[in-house]
Amino acid sequence: MNTSVPEQLDTQAIRISDVCKSYGDFPVLKNINAEVARGEVVVICGPSGSGKSTLIRTVNRLEEISRGGITFEGQNIHAAMRASELNKLRSRIGFVFQSFNLFPHLSVVENVSMSPIRVKGLAPDVAHDRALKLLDRVGLADKAKAYPGQLSGGQQQRVAIARALAMEPPVMLFDEPTSALDPEMVGEVLNVMKSLAADGMTMLCVTHEMGFARDVADRIWFIDAGEILESAPPEEFFKNPRHPRAQRFLADLRH
Ligand SMILES: Nc1ncnc2c1ncn2[C@@H]1O[C@H](COP(=O)(O)OP(=O)(O)OP(=O)(O)O)[C@@H](O)[C@H]1O
Ligand SMILES: [Mg+2]
């Protein structure tokens, strides 16, 4: 299926068309159709096991799909391509996970500057300067020389965000970036995400932080059992969820 559209003609950053995915006989994603416009912030929420991580991981092809298509800036992500092409594509999609996976033997600034040097071929001193600016942006300018093991979870996650931003991706994906953190560190990571959103970054975020969803998201996708049952602006979703399963999900959260 060729869903490619020339990049400059596609107003959507991400288009997900008729996507299905199964593990064996078990359908995890059922006919997903959704779009993320440039500059839009979308929050994906839904019960555990509903397919949120699987869906977000198909967007940079960490997961293959069984049917359908996904385009990123007009380019078909799931087309046949060489590993080098896929890596190039992936380097343009920032991904922040629950676990930060920083390199423990590299300093913070080295963690942030590594990919621009290795993948983009940036001169080390240029990459280093840019990394320092990004660390400043996430409030960690004073930790540049520290090692990940010397940082709190919230600080490590902010380094992970800076590391993803170092590749200058037009889109950032987040899969529960705060759920491994102690409660007092959640806010500092959400604030960094809020400032990214305010700067116009296109973001697709799986999170249980409904305050963030309410304040920052342009649109919420509610997913259950592999289907997007509702896609609505937050004020509509929280005030007046239409699908009974979305109503139950929100009622359970309030308890
Ligand atoms: N590699 C796999 N093999 C088989 N089944 C899998 C695999 N990965 C995920 N699943 C199943 O797919 C479904 C969706 O999983 P997924 O991790 O996407 O859910 P989720 O919405 O992210 O859940 P959570 O909120 O707990 O993170 C679950 O039923 C899960 O057990
Ligand atoms: Mg998940």
Side-chain angles (χ1 to χ4, degrees), residues 16-33:
I16 304 174
S17 314
D18 301 323
V19 164
C20 298
K21 178 180 176 69
S22 301
Y23 287 114
D25 289 342
F26 178 68
V28 192
L29 299 177
K30 301 174 193 162
N31 215 33
I32 303 274
N33 282 287

Side-chain angles (χ1 to χ4, degrees), residues 7 13 42 44 58 73-75 82 103 130 179 182 197 227 234 244:
E7 181 172 321
V42 171
I44 307 177
T58 62
E73 299 199 319
Q75 197 178 353
R82 287 194 297 272
F103 293 107
R130 287 197 192 170
S179 54
D182 291 336
E227 284 180 283

Side-chain angles (χ1 to χ4, degrees), residues 13-75:
I14 299 166
R15 282 180 193 273
I16 304 174
S17 314
D18 301 323
V19 164
C20 298
K21 178 180 176 69
S22 301
Y23 287 114
D25 289 342
F26 178 68
V28 192
L29 299 177
K30 301 174 193 162
N31 215 33
I32 303 274
N33 282 287
E35 285 155 4
V36 183
R38 291 175 193 233
E40 196 178 25
V41 178
V42 171
V43 163
I44 307 177
C45 67
S48 182
S50 56
K52 304 181 296 295
S53 295
T54 307
L55 176 60
I56 203 168
R57 290 162 63 87
T58 62
V59 173
N60 70 347
R61 206 167 163 178
L62 283 173
E63 297 279 355
E64 296 294 330
I65 56 181
S66 314
R67 222 182 62 205
I70 301 178
T71 62
F72 165 65
E73 299 199 319
Q75 197 178 353

Side-chain angles (χ1 to χ4, degrees), residues 48-120:
S48 182
S50 56
K52 304 181 296 295
S53 295
T54 307
L55 176 60
I56 203 168
R57 290 162 63 87
T58 62
V59 173
N60 70 347
R61 206 167 163 178
L62 283 173
E63 297 279 355
E64 296 294 330
I65 56 181
S66 314
R67 222 182 62 205
I70 301 178
T71 62
F72 165 65
E73 299 199 319
Q75 197 178 353
N76 184 358
I77 300 262
H78 287 265
M81 63 178 88
R82 287 194 297 272
S84 59
E85 278 178 279
L86 179 58
N87 284 338
K88 198 168 151 204
L89 195 58
R90 277 204 187 120
S91 73
R92 303 189 62 230
I93 306 176
F95 204 141
V96 175
F97 302 83
Q98 185 174 337
S99 54
F100 339 115
N101 293 330
L102 300 174
F103 293 107
H105 58 290
L106 295 181
S107 69
V108 162
V109 70
E110 286 166 344
N111 264 282
V112 176
S113 58
M114 192 181 80
S115 287
I117 295 170
R118 288 220 187 142
V119 180
K120 279 193 164 175

